[in-house]
Amino acid sequence: MASRFVVRTRAEVAAEELFDISLDIDTHVASMEQSGERAIGGVVSGRIDLGEEVTWRARHFGVWFTMTSRIAALDRPKRFVDEQVRGPFRSFRHEHRFDDRGGATTMTDTIDVASPILGVLAERVVLVPYLRRLIRLRNGHLLDRLGLAPSTDPGAAVWESGECYPFRAAESTTLLGHGAKVWEFAAREVLRWGVKTRSGFRVADVRDVVPGERLQITARVGPVRVREPVEVRRVIREPDRVGFSYAALPGHPVRGEEAFIVHRDGDEVFLSIRSLTAPADRGLWRFAYPCCGWPNSSRDAATGARCAEIDPEPTGAQLERRPRGRGRCAAGVGRSGPRRPWTAT
């Protein structure tokens, strides 16, 4: 008896685009880089078609496996099915369905798998969660290739992170204070990495951020200095909203994106911090992720308030927290000094 599981992914893209990229061998290989998967036989590059086969070789659970799959059914752009012809499973069938609704597509992956050695219980406890994770990683990579990767979107008043696996989404909003003086100071400082530098981080070039700019942030974890290469992605300068997002580059302890946004509602001035984080692709930092992921670097939204105090002696109202979304505020991997309040002058 085979075990079945279903993964659904929604994307703001036409079904044809998502369908075609799902059949692309090169894209699939890139999405499975973590397992070292590659095509070694049959169709080894480009788009595979009905009746064609591909032989894969990949490492899972520390063991190298070889599996040959065939496209057993194809109805563009609605569905296709790939099945194991030869390989490590007693049976493996993967149906891909694409439901286009006004330019947004829901991709439904239905997998039926049976192990030659594991019982149904072990399949569902060990094999199914592992394969579900691989499918979600693959789907996230497909969206990334289509330019639909999740973003912290600093320009949006309401953040909908959507399908963001393997990233973990977090957002926190803190009331900084009231009035034009607070707004002007906070709006100026946030664009100069003020949230970072006043959290104890060192920024190589403290000046107004520029889209596409690459620089290095330095943190300290105990006696160790950690270098975080980043790139500024999007900068927002609006009458009531100022901020930017930046992404981690290769060599950073985590993958993902973070945004610092100062915004006001009437007389009230707020700081919002958004983050999308996942373990680094490789290296020892992967194992340290539970400790160094952006959302875990600050215990709760109060840290964001302390990092962004406008008044050296804030009132209770100024430290009022207004969490929005889920998770905790984020500030990086570690700290290299004491926090300094933002004192408006």
Side-chain angles (χ1 to χ4, degrees), residues 58 70 81 189 212 219 283:
R70 176 186 297 129
V81 177
E189 287 298 299

Side-chain angles (χ1 to χ4, degrees), residues 193 213-217 228-232 246-249 252:
W193 295 95
E213 177 185 29
R214 294 190 174 194
L215 67 160
Q216 186 167 270
I217 297 171
E228 304 178 358
V230 301
E231 178 181 77
V232 177
Y246 71 96
L249 296 175
H252 196 290

